[in-house]
């Protein structure tokens, strides 16, 4: 089963919590409710989208809609809610 | 009897509840009031519309207006309220 | 006496309540305050208007302004408040 | 003395209450606070204005600013607040 | 000393209260807090400005900022807050 | 040390209070919290900016952000918050 | 590990508190919650961005999202939240 995002929507698989600490990026307590990390799964066809599947990204926590795909946590968000690509 | 949506409006037939669990996509409790699934029945003539009749879609629950057509639950929503096409 | 809508305004004669049930379209209780049906009487000169006099339409209930013309209930609304044309 | 409206402003002389009932157009109680009728006195130079002096119009009651000119009730409103021309 | 308004700003000298009654234009009690009159002193260079110094105008009372120039009451407002030119 | 404003930002040095009374421009009590005067120190590269360093200006009091540069009160504001140039 | 901001996002490393006093720029108490200083680390590809890595900047305190990179305080903000470049 597959989800194909429309327009400026991006499907993101939430990164697991332990990954966050290992990566060296740590979101302090006060901001913990605002950002989080994940991996791009699929993107819409909007030209403004600069991320591609497998990119690790930082996005606004309140962005988008939570959805479970094959049992795992995903978020469908708008491209503008993605703040940065995480390169390691 | 037939409904022809105008402009960026899309007519969607709500998917039945049991379909949701079988499909492998499951919307967790906290988000259950925000998204849902259905099948496109008819679309307006706006060029931005990328879905077509019979597409299975994921859309924002609060989008659009509920309407019964020939006894079945439908929703008329704006194209921008459609988040993704569900391919199985 | 005649009303000529301006710009994107559309003059609509409200369909009678019994018509609603016969037509097969039925608006369930929870949504009953949001949509309703009527017949287009006259339209403004805005190019975005795709409906024409005599079209049966579905529109947002809270749209526009109520007005009695020759004793019958009419509504003057903006074109964007029209959701779909009803073909039977 | 004369008032020359600017831009998209339109100067309207409020129609008297008795005129309303004679004309066949009657605004029901629930909507009485939303619309009213009047005669165009002068218009600004905005190209979007399609009404001209002496046109009888239907406009949104809360539109514009009340002003007395030579002792009679007038309203200065924006062109977009005019809903329709009344032809009799 | 001179004030040169910028962009779409217009400097207006408030008309004295007695002028209002003599002019035949009288703003009724209910609207008295919404409009008032004055004379244009200087205008910005925005092309949308159609008034010129010495024009007597009607403007929205809450528009702009009060300022005393050489001891007299002035208001700096945006061009869009001017409703009409008063010709006598 | 120097501050170079970006885009439509303008750096303004607040005029001292005594300057205000001497200049003949006096902001009455009721408006005292809305406007004030100052001298332009530096401007961003936005073409809409029509003021230049050393211009004495009138600006909206609540505009921008207070900052001390070399011990003196400055304000960084957007160009649109400047109401007029004061010529003496 | 590296963060690559997207679009009009800019990654900024917060300047330490002692730097602020030495620099001669001092943000007074009343404004202390509105502005702050930092160094640009990386910028998105939006053409409107005029700052570059290593620029010392003044930005709106409430702008953006706090994030720790390699143990140090950073902020990801939109380009428009940057007020000025600090040159020393």
């Amino acid at each position: 089963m597959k989800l194909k995002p429309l327009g400026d929507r991006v499907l993101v698989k939430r990164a697991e919590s332990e990954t966050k600490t290992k990566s060296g990026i740590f979101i302090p307590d006060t901001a913990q409710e605002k950002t989080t990390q994940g991996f791009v799964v699929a993107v819409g066809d909007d030209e403004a989208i600069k991320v591609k599947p497998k990119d690790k990204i930082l996005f606004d926590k309140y962005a988008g809609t939570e959805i479970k795909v094959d049992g795992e946590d995903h978020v469908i968000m708008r491209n503008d809610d993605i703040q940065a690509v995480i390169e390691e």
Side-chain angles (χ1 to χ4, degrees), chain A:
Chain A
M1 195 209 68
K2 216 177 125 189
L3 276 181
K4 198 176 126 195
L6 289 171
D8 66 344
R9 295 311 203 301
V10 175
L11 178 65
V12 177
K13 186 180 160 186
R14 219 178 257 287
E16 295 171 31
S17 304
E18 45 279 10
T19 311
K20 287 182 196 166
T21 359
K22 277 182 192 160
S23 73
I25 295 188
F26 176 74
I27 297 142
D29 281 12
T30 56
Q32 205 163 31
E33 304 216 277
K34 279 283 176 75
T35 56
T36 194
Q37 303 171 42
F39 297 90
V40 174
V41 175
V43 301
D45 61 0
D46 193 297
E47 288 181 17
I49 300 178
K50 302 297 186 200
V51 294
K52 54 184 188 308
K54 300 202 176 159
D55 279 355
K56 188 172 184 181
I57 59 165
L58 190 74
F59 59 90
D60 189 54
K61 191 187 176 178
Y62 292 126
T65 309
E66 306 269 332
I67 186 171
K68 264 212 165 85
V69 183
D70 300 330
E72 297 197 79
D73 289 340
H74 286 71
V75 187
I76 291 189
M77 65 189 71
R78 291 187 184 272
N79 176 53
D80 194 51
D81 294 321
I82 303 177
Q83 298 175 327
V85 172
I86 303 171
E87 297 172 339
E88 276 162 303

